[in-house]
Amino acid sequence: MRFVRQKNNFSCAPIAILNAAKWAGKKLSYKKDYKRIVDDLKCNKDGTKISNIDRILRQELVHHSRVLKIKNPTYIRAMRHIRSGGSILLAYEPQEDQYHIALFTAIREGHWVGHNIYQDCPSGAISTNKVLDVFYRANQSACVWLLAKKYV
């Protein structure tokens, strides 16, 4: 499966939703659906509100994936969910006052496999230690959506 890469500094939310939909089996493409999703999210150079991400994610995946937003996410819960075949969308703050959101679909050899974890890179991996830092850094407020495919 080919995941979509981010092409500018502020489009991580629509890219994350496109990648989540691809993971869930929904036929979306950058060319046909990106602009619509950007507009639906009200995404701009200042970013995207979490409430808009939650609404559009649920709207796009309604027939393809169960979506559960976690209020106080833990590393263990996210890890178990991925290892049981699910995926997660993780919104976090890689640098102060800069937020990012990416899809994680697997854990292999101590690394979390993610999609759009870095700009211009559709897929890659980050160490478990970096993920732990995202969940437990003192000034960090991670937001997690657990995704589970619906089988029809």
Side-chain angles (χ1 to χ4, degrees):
M1 174 179 323
R2 289 186 59 183
F3 289 95
V4 181
R5 70 179 174 85
Q6 185 174 337
K7 297 178 182 175
N8 58 46
N9 288 333
F10 61 89
S11 63
C12 59
I15 297 301
I17 289 173
L18 279 170
N19 284 335
K22 283 176 155 286
W23 172 85
K26 185 173 182 182
K27 305 250 186 269
L28 291 182
S29 73
Y30 183 89
K31 189 174 184 178
K32 292 179 182 175
D33 300 292
Y34 173 77
K35 172 113 175 62
R36 175 184 57 78
I37 292 172
V38 166
D39 292 344
D40 290 349
L41 284 168
K42 297 176 177 56
C43 175
N44 59 42
K45 292 185 180 185
D46 295 325
T48 307
K49 292 180 179 178
I50 293 290
S51 59
N52 290 349
I53 294 170
D54 188 61
R55 181 176 50 82
I56 299 305
L57 178 65
R58 291 172 190 283
Q59 179 180 305
E60 290 295 332
L61 297 183
V62 67
H63 298 296
H64 296 83
S65 180
R66 290 188 313 273
V67 176
L68 178 63
K69 183 178 175 202
I70 305 299
K71 291 185 183 196
N72 296 306
T74 65
Y75 170 85
I76 295 295
R77 185 163 185 195
M79 178 196 63
R80 285 180 179 159
H81 183 75
I82 291 172
R83 287 199 169 146
S84 71
S87 71
I88 67 166
L89 274 184
L90 175 61
Y92 58 100
E93 191 175 357
Q95 297 174 347
E96 191 172 331
D97 295 328
Q98 283 188 335
Y99 286 89
H100 187 66
I101 183 169
L103 176 70
F104 290 88
T105 58
I107 301 169
R108 294 190 189 116
E109 298 175 8
H111 289 78
W112 286 46
V113 177
H115 310 286
N116 194 46
I117 53 176
Y118 304 108
Q119 188 174 336
D120 292 329
C121 179
S123 298
I126 60 174
S127 72
T128 295
N129 287 338
K130 285 187 180 182
V131 176
L132 281 165
D133 190 47
V134 166
F135 278 95
Y136 300 115
R137 188 181 328 149
N139 64 345
Q140 177 81 343
S141 58
C143 185
V144 172
W145 290 266
L146 304 179
L147 307 176
K149 291 180 184 178
K150 289 182 180 178
Y151 296 98
V152 183

